[in-house]
Amino acid sequence: MDFESLHYSLDLATGNGLTLSSEQRAALQTSLVILKRNYKFSRVLFWGKILGLKLIKHVLSQINLHHFLSLNSLNCMDWHLLPLATESMIADVALAAQGRFTGDPSHEHTEMRIKGEGDDATEEEVTVKVNEASRLATTVSNIDKDVSVVPRGAFTKSPCGKVQTNRSFGGLDHVEAVKLRNYLHFREPVNLKKKSILEMSHLNPAIDFLDPLSEDVPKGSWCLQLERGSTVCILRSLLWLGLTFFHVPQTPQHGHIYMGDGLLNLDLPFML
């Protein structure tokens, strides 16, 4: 969510009780203004926070004209760039990193491997060079790919393939806002490429270039509710517990925030 409307957006998206303290809000209000000016970013988005065993990691997404960057902080004042999540990094993190985040950026995860077979099998402790910073960057990337959400029509795609904010977007009406198909994954489309020409005949290529949430597998991984007297639509992910998206119907106001432990909910199939 945009940091310029962070206080207003937090009140809408934190109905589950997880929010920022008054000290953290005051620190963000000061540090993000300075950070945006020093780095010359065009837009600053507060991504959320991951709860560690010792410390809490606050994650910030920075957008300038050409790049998308992520930063993290332990005190909402001192911000540090996160490395870009590569394919090899994601594979190493999936192999080595287990359990909760510790909160220590220099902490390295270890893996126990078994060599040999039968009676000759021995356990050898192998230190995999995966620190908390790499794991955090991978987790942020995975959450963005899986559950980053925008309402239908908030972004447009030009014939040359450029995606940009739709300045004429006035929000979904109250009837369309309660339908899951009107919320889209803000990532490269996956299911859309598999559809036939007949299935895509009723789609508008200018705004229907993303995958809708209604096609997610398994079904039921999203919880859509109306709150504050049916004036705010709230989407909560059951795949990544802690991800909350909000949209105020008939207004362009929308955003999402993650506040959780950074662990994938592997029990989802048994919850449905």
Side-chain angles (χ1 to χ4, degrees):
M1 54 182 61
D2 200 311
F3 89 98
E4 295 181 354
S5 59
L6 182 61
H7 295 272
Y8 170 75
S9 301
L10 279 175
D11 293 338
L12 299 178
T14 55
N16 56 0
L18 293 175
T19 184
L20 300 176
S21 64
S22 301
E23 294 80 4
Q24 292 171 343
R25 296 191 186 198
L28 288 173
Q29 187 176 7
T30 303
S31 63
L32 298 190
V33 174
I34 299 175
L35 193 65
K36 182 179 180 181
R37 182 193 62 187
N38 292 342
Y39 280 84
K40 298 181 180 179
F41 287 106
S42 59
R43 192 180 181 190
V44 180
L45 302 176
F46 183 74
W47 185 87
K49 68 178 181 180
I50 292 181
L51 308 175
L53 295 176
K54 299 179 181 178
L55 297 172
I56 298 175
K57 294 177 177 290
H58 299 82
V59 182
L60 188 71
S61 297
Q62 306 279 356
I63 300 178
N64 62 7
L65 295 177
H66 305 287
H67 302 283
F68 179 85
L69 302 175
S70 296
L71 297 90
N72 76 302
S73 174
L74 297 176
N75 55 8
C76 297
M77 292 296 294
D78 302 319
W79 296 93
H80 308 280
L81 283 171
L82 287 175
L84 295 177
T86 61
E87 294 295 333
S88 60
M89 182 189 299
I90 295 175
D92 291 341
V93 170
L95 181 65
Q98 302 291 334
R100 295 277 302 275
F101 280 84
T102 63
D104 183 7
S106 62
H107 175 75
E108 289 189 348
H109 297 272
T110 59
E111 177 197 3
M112 299 296 294
R113 293 182 179 178
I114 300 178
K115 290 189 175 182
E117 296 181 357
D119 297 335
D120 298 332
T122 59
E123 288 190 3
E124 180 181 351
E125 185 174 350
V126 180
T127 302
V128 182
K129 294 182 179 180
V130 175
N131 54 28
E132 283 272 293
S134 300
R135 184 186 180 187
L136 179 61
T138 300
T139 301
V140 171
S141 176
N142 290 337
I143 293 177
D144 284 339
K145 290 179 182 178
D146 293 340
V147 292
S148 181
V149 184
V150 293
R152 180 175 180 266
F155 290 85
T156 60
K157 185 176 183 180
S158 63
C160 61
K162 183 179 180 181
V163 178
Q164 56 189 359
T165 304
N166 185 5
R167 298 185 180 275
S168 62
F169 176 68
L172 303 173
D173 58 36
H174 288 84
V175 177
E176 297 296 329
V178 296
K179 298 179 181 178
L180 196 60
R181 67 169 184 265
N182 290 318
Y183 298 96
L184 313 174
H185 284 284
F186 194 57
R187 67 182 184 196
E188 287 292 330
V190 178
N191 300 328
L192 189 64
K193 299 178 181 179
K194 302 177 183 179
K195 293 185 177 181
S196 63
I197 298 178
L198 181 61
E199 292 174 327
M200 299 178 60
S201 60
H202 65 284
L203 301 180
N204 185 347
I207 59 177
D208 294 322
F209 58 94
L210 299 172
D211 294 327
L213 302 188
S214 57
E215 298 179 358
D216 283 7
V217 178
K219 297 290 185 181
S221 60
W222 290 96
C223 179
L224 176 60
Q225 296 176 326
L226 292 175
E227 296 185 0
R228 293 179 176 266
S230 301
T231 59
V232 182
C233 291
I234 299 295
L235 268 170
R236 293 187 174 91
S237 173
L238 300 181
L239 181 63
W240 290 93
L241 297 175
L243 190 285
T244 304
F245 169 85
F246 79 93
H247 173 55
V248 182
Q250 296 183 337
T251 70
Q253 299 169 359
H254 68 275
H256 67 270
I257 189 171
Y258 178 82
M259 292 189 181
D261 54 13
L263 299 178
L264 183 68
N265 182 20
L266 300 178
D267 296 328
L268 177 61
F270 306 98
M271 296 170 56
L272 301 177

